[in-house]
Amino acid sequence: MLESIRQIIQSLKEPRSDVREHVFEIEVAQQGEQWVFTGRVLTAADKEALRQALQSAHPGLAVDDSGVKVLLTSQSRWVHVSTNLSSLHRTPSFLDEMMSGLPYGWRMQVLEEQENWAFVRLFDGYLGWTYLPYTSSEAVPEPTHLVTAPVSRLRAVPGSSEAPVGRVFGGTQVAICEQKGEWACVQAGRS
């Protein structure tokens, strides 16, 4: 029976094996007549697929899947990058593989937290860990423009003689607050 259950788990995991977009981490153990499942999945549909596959293969199987955590729920809070540039990592560490750079304003859903790190789902569906102190849940405006230059310098007042006070990177969405000639006051938008 255990081998059959492990095969069911594996068959469900295969189409969800890209860890950049899916989470399907399931363990099983037998406790008396009951099979106890633990781990985490991305959606409630993933958990339901497990239930249905088990019942289809083994009708009447005593299953306890209360230990399987669903990460993406309607209560998942949204945050956005609040620094010039942040990063998405495979594990909660700056020393682990960086999967993507995250420009200011990018939105993401917090699925799990571990100390100062959050396992997040970006607006495009990518998953990974980001550093929570580099995020904010404060509202950001709807973007009106996209920065296309690799790097654009920000100045406190219009005029090229002013020293830069910051920078934004290509791919950052911004909202124009005010325009004076060739200069615009911008605020990072949300993706």
Side-chain angles (χ1 to χ4, degrees):
M1 177 78 73
L2 179 59
E3 189 55 37
S4 172
I5 292 172
R6 285 184 175 156
Q7 287 174 357
I8 291 168
I9 293 170
Q10 186 58 36
S11 71
L12 291 168
K13 186 175 183 167
E14 284 175 11
R16 298 166 176 86
S17 63
D18 186 347
V19 296
R20 295 170 301 173
E21 296 179 327
H22 300 284
V23 176
F24 198 86
E25 302 166 354
I26 302 293
E27 297 292 326
V28 61
Q30 188 175 15
Q31 291 181 356
E33 295 295 315
Q34 191 171 48
W35 293 91
V36 178
F37 294 82
T38 57
R40 59 191 200 140
V41 294
L42 183 59
T43 66
D46 294 330
K47 189 172 179 177
E48 185 58 31
L50 175 62
R51 284 182 188 141
Q52 289 179 4
L54 290 167
Q55 288 304 313
S56 176
H58 304 286
L61 185 70
V63 171
D64 175 5
D65 64 1
S66 61
V68 176
K69 182 178 181 183
V70 174
L71 298 178
L72 183 60
T73 69
S74 59
Q75 287 79 37
S76 299
R77 70 184 172 104
W78 286 88
V79 297
H80 66 274
V81 176
S82 61
T83 59
N84 273 346
L85 187 64
S86 190
S87 50
L88 191 69
H89 294 267
R90 187 159 310 280
T91 65
S93 170
F94 285 116
L95 301 177
D96 199 1
E97 175 186 357
M98 186 174 96
M99 298 164 51
S100 184
L102 306 174
Y104 187 91
W106 273 38
R107 293 181 65 216
M108 60 200 99
Q109 283 178 286
V110 175
L111 306 179
E112 239 179 352
E113 292 185 36
Q114 199 176 90
E115 297 178 13
N116 281 334
W117 290 84
F119 185 67
V120 297
R121 182 173 188 258
L122 303 181
F123 70 95
D124 61 3
Y126 266 48
L127 301 166
W129 290 90
T130 196
Y131 191 59
L132 270 175
Y134 293 170
T135 68
S136 173
S137 56
E138 292 179 15
V140 292
E142 286 291 329
T144 58
H145 292 76
L146 177 69
V147 176
T148 57
V151 178
S152 295
R153 287 169 177 56
L154 300 173
R155 301 181 192 282
V157 294
S160 59
S161 62
E162 292 294 321
V165 294
R167 59 188 174 173
V168 291
F169 297 97
T172 303
Q173 294 184 351
V174 296
I176 293 184
C177 306
E178 178 183 349
Q179 193 165 351
K180 291 184 180 179
E182 295 180 343
W183 292 88
C185 174
V186 298
Q187 185 174 2
R190 62 175 178 232
S191 296

